[in-house]
């Protein structure tokens, strides 16, 4: 990962941030800072990977794949978590 000094907010990225902000907000009047929303999203991604790994001994691979596949986390049957983002 390269470090960048700015974050370009495209319309799509702003919509995602707004939606994520609503999820992170304590109530309808809370407006969390972008850093809190980004930290929550990153934490969720890391914890999701751990939850998937933990579930492997408890659930069959097809169930895990069916539930956990997203546009960011992709699972190949009986292998590893792979990043589908790029």
């Amino acid at each position: 990962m390269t470090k960048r000094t700015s974050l370009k907010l495209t319309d799509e990225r702003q919509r995602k941030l707004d939606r994520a902000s609503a999820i992170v907000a304590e109530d309808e009047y809370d407006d969390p800072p972008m850093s809190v929303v980004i930290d929550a999203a990153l934490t969720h991604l890391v914890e999701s990977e751990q939850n998937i790994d933990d579930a492997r001994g408890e659930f069959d691979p097809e169930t895990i794949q069916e539930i956990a596949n997203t546009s960011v986390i992709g699972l190949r049957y009986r292998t590893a978590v792979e990043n589908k983002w790029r």
Side-chain angles (χ1 to χ4, degrees):
M1 176 177 72
T2 60
K3 292 185 179 183
R4 298 206 169 108
T5 57
S6 65
L7 176 66
K8 182 178 179 184
L9 292 179
T10 62
D11 289 343
E12 179 63 22
R13 186 173 282 155
Q14 184 62 55
R15 279 191 292 275
K16 288 178 183 177
L17 281 167
D18 291 342
R19 191 163 177 205
S21 179
I23 293 168
V24 172
E26 290 184 6
D27 57 36
E28 59 193 76
Y29 305 107
D30 187 20
D31 186 20
M34 187 185 308
S35 61
V36 171
V37 175
I38 292 170
D39 286 346
L42 293 172
T43 300
H44 177 69
L45 180 61
V46 170
E47 289 177 358
S48 292
E49 181 184 32
Q50 184 60 51
N51 290 341
I52 291 167
D53 288 342
D54 293 346
R56 287 180 190 262
E58 194 173 332
F59 299 98
D60 63 280
E62 294 96 341
T63 301
I64 295 171
Q65 186 177 26
E66 187 176 308
I67 293 171
N69 272 351
T70 68
S71 62
V72 177
I73 296 176
L75 300 175
R76 288 187 304 207
Y77 183 71
R78 297 185 144 252
T79 58
V81 175
E82 66 181 31
N83 183 351
K84 292 171 61 176
W85 194 250
R86 287 189 154 202

